Structure formats: C-alpha cells, structure tokens
Amino acid sequence: MEFHSGALRAPLCVSWQLTHACDLACVHCCTDSGPDRAAAEELDREGSLRLAGDIVACEVPYVMLCGGEPLLAPQAFAVAEVLGRGGVQLKIETNGQSFGPAEARRLAALPIRSVQVSLDGDTQEVYARQRPGASLEKAHAACRAVREAGLPLEVTFAPTRRNIGEIAATVRRARDLGAFRFNTGALMRVGRAARRWEELEPTPEEYAKMISVLSRMTDVLGSAMELCYHPFTIAEGMSEALREPPATLLILPDGTVKVSAFLEEGCAFVPRQGISEAWDAYRRAWKDPEVRRRLAEAP
C-alpha cells in the first residue's frame, strides 16, 4: 500500500474540528458535541492562529472548519481569515442555527469553496426529532443567507429511522434553496449515534428504498444539483481508504491528529510537532499492520 500522494510534503486537506461545543445535542452526532461539551484543553485563540499559520506555511490547499458548531469557537472567523488570506480554500460546516447575513458577508471576503448546512428533514417535526431544540426555519434562512452572499451552498443529510422518510423532500428543498451538492450516506456508528444505535439505525429495507429514491432523483436532477452518496456504507468507504489512504489530516479541538474517526487514539499532536511532522506520522500510521487491521474492522 502506498499513498498516491506519497510525494506530497503536506496533506491536500485538513479537517479541523475547532470545538466540541455546539448549541445543539443532536441524537446522531458523530463527535458527541453539545452545549456542555467544550473541553478546557481545546486550542485557544493564540494556539489556533499559530496552527492556521502553520497550515498556510505548509501550503495546504484546502481546510474544512467543523465541530461541534465551529462558529461557536470565539476564534473561528480569525482562523478563517488567516487561512483565507493565506490562499487556503475553505469549507465551513454549520447547523445554521446562528448563521445569518452578517456571517455570510464576512465569509464572502474569503476563498470559500462551500458552506455546508445540515438539513436532516423537511418538516419541523421530523427535523426536531433528530436535532432537539433546533429550528428548521433558521437552517433554511442560513441556506438563503449563503446564496444571497454569493457563496456556494452544500447540504448534508444524516439518515436515521426518524427522518429517512423525508429524504426525497429534503433533496428537493436543497435544490430549491440553491445548493450545488447534497451529501448523504449510511449513518456512522460513532459518537452519540453509537450509544443509541438500536433506536436510530435504519433497516436494510429503509436503506434500499433510500438508495432507490436517490438513484431516480439523480436522473431527474441532471446537472441542477450533485447527489453524493457513494461510497454509501462505512465499510465501502473504509475499503477505499485502505486501498488509497486519504490525504487528509483530521485535527481535533485540542490539536490531536487522528488516523480515523473510528479509532480512539491519535497519531500526532500538531501544537508540538507541527503540520509537517504530523503528516509524516499520519502516513506511517496508515502503513502500520495493527492500525490497518483495526480500521478494516471498523463498524
């Protein structure tokens, strides 16, 4: 096994969880984030800006800022501005509950590849069953703010037994809101979802119907909006990753680098090692037989 990106001196992408804090505690959250989940060891403003500068210096072309809810991190916009002004393309992932025209206008000054808003349903009743306390109207307003600022909009949908019946309506809603891409796939058995797996996991029949719906809608939508749902299952995705490990560093809020979301331990610590050394450690980890065995058994 070798990286196609083996000659790269830095990752092609950094997926940076700025915080585990979130204004919601969604039942399916893969990072187990919530209003009380920010940890004391999360990088502060100084540490975050130092890391952002290192990413720029290493010429990483693309960074995804996520969480938790990344915009709840006090340093979020400062980090985005350091990265963007350094020529890094950005993706911002948000639940849309606190995202409006002011936030969109501030991001519009930066090289934004996309703003991704989670729409896990097309009715308030279903949406709130998956995201307790959340407002679907606010999420829709966030999508409109993204487009009104001239920014590219993505929508993501995490299927559970609670919302899978609204997949078609949510796809149509995303198209009408001006999204260029709709992302979905099988529910990940990590974080809070893993603890509630028996009540959340869709049945094989529900998944089969979902795939059939998406397949038909792909033909109908044409070039109007891209439907991304391959690889669909975690097993399919991990099989591809084991053949060709992703050139992406997953950085947790405290600066730990993980080989995969499915392994508890980290392989590097960027505040101490920096991006270049962390990248080397990450590539070594993907060649470790024990790491690969455990990834092959990931749920």
Side-chain angles (χ1 to χ4, degrees), residues 24-276:
L24 302 177
C26 302
V27 298
H28 66 288
C29 182
C30 63
T31 62
D32 204 11
S33 299
D36 58 348
R37 298 298 294 172
E41 65 270 17
E42 292 186 1
L43 293 178
D44 60 12
R45 178 183 177 90
E46 181 181 358
S48 297
L49 296 182
R50 188 181 306 115
L51 174 52
D54 190 18
I55 290 171
V56 171
C58 289
E59 300 180 347
V60 176
Y62 179 40
V63 170
M64 296 183 287
L65 297 179
C66 49
E69 172 55 45
L71 299 182
L72 290 184
Q75 70 274 27
F77 282 100
V79 166
E81 286 162 358
V82 168
L83 293 170
R85 291 167 183 167
V88 178
Q89 294 283 314
L90 297 170
K91 176 177 180 177
I92 312 296
E93 300 182 4
T94 178
N95 59 31
Q97 298 302 291
S98 302
F99 188 99
E103 289 76 16
R105 286 193 298 269
R106 190 166 180 181
L107 290 177
L110 302 174
I112 301 295
R113 184 178 291 187
S114 70
V115 177
Q116 179 176 284
V117 180
S118 298
L119 295 182
D120 294 313
D122 195 55
T123 62
Q124 175 61 31
E125 179 185 4
V126 168
Y127 176 80
R129 289 179 65 202
Q130 185 133 327
R131 296 178 172 267
S135 164
L136 184 58
E137 182 180 353
K138 288 182 178 179
H140 288 168
C143 292
R144 288 190 289 270
V146 171
R147 295 301 297 127
E148 288 166 4
L151 294 170
L153 172 68
E154 287 189 66
V155 164
T156 186
F157 179 99
T160 70
R161 292 184 190 179
R162 300 182 178 198
N163 71 345
I164 197 167
E166 291 196 348
I167 181 69
T170 309
V171 169
R172 289 191 291 268
R173 178 77 63 180
R175 176 202 59 197
D176 293 345
L177 287 166
F180 75 94
R181 181 179 293 141
F182 184 97
N183 302 305
T184 190
L187 185 66
M188 294 193 296
R189 192 171 185 171
V190 291
R192 196 172 292 127
R195 298 199 300 273
R196 306 181 67 165
W197 194 247
E198 297 303 319
E199 65 178 277
L200 294 179
E201 182 191 22
T203 65
E205 293 75 19
E206 288 173 324
Y207 271 142
K209 183 177 180 180
M210 174 181 170
I211 293 172
S212 177
V213 166
L214 291 172
S215 178
R216 291 196 304 272
M217 296 191 82
T218 298
D219 295 335
V220 171
L221 288 170
S223 61
M225 183 177 70
E226 181 182 7
L227 287 182
C228 296
Y229 59 99
H230 297 295
F232 186 76
T233 68
I234 300 306
E236 291 167 351
M238 194 57 65
S239 178
E240 289 188 9
L242 287 166
R243 288 195 302 272
E244 183 183 339
T248 299
L249 284 188
L250 170 58
I251 302 180
L252 303 187
D254 68 348
T256 297
V257 173
K258 295 187 74 173
V259 178
S260 167
F262 299 102
L263 298 184
E264 288 297 323
E265 70 277 7
C267 64
F269 187 60
V270 286
R272 181 176 62 246
Q273 296 169 278
I275 291 293
S276 292

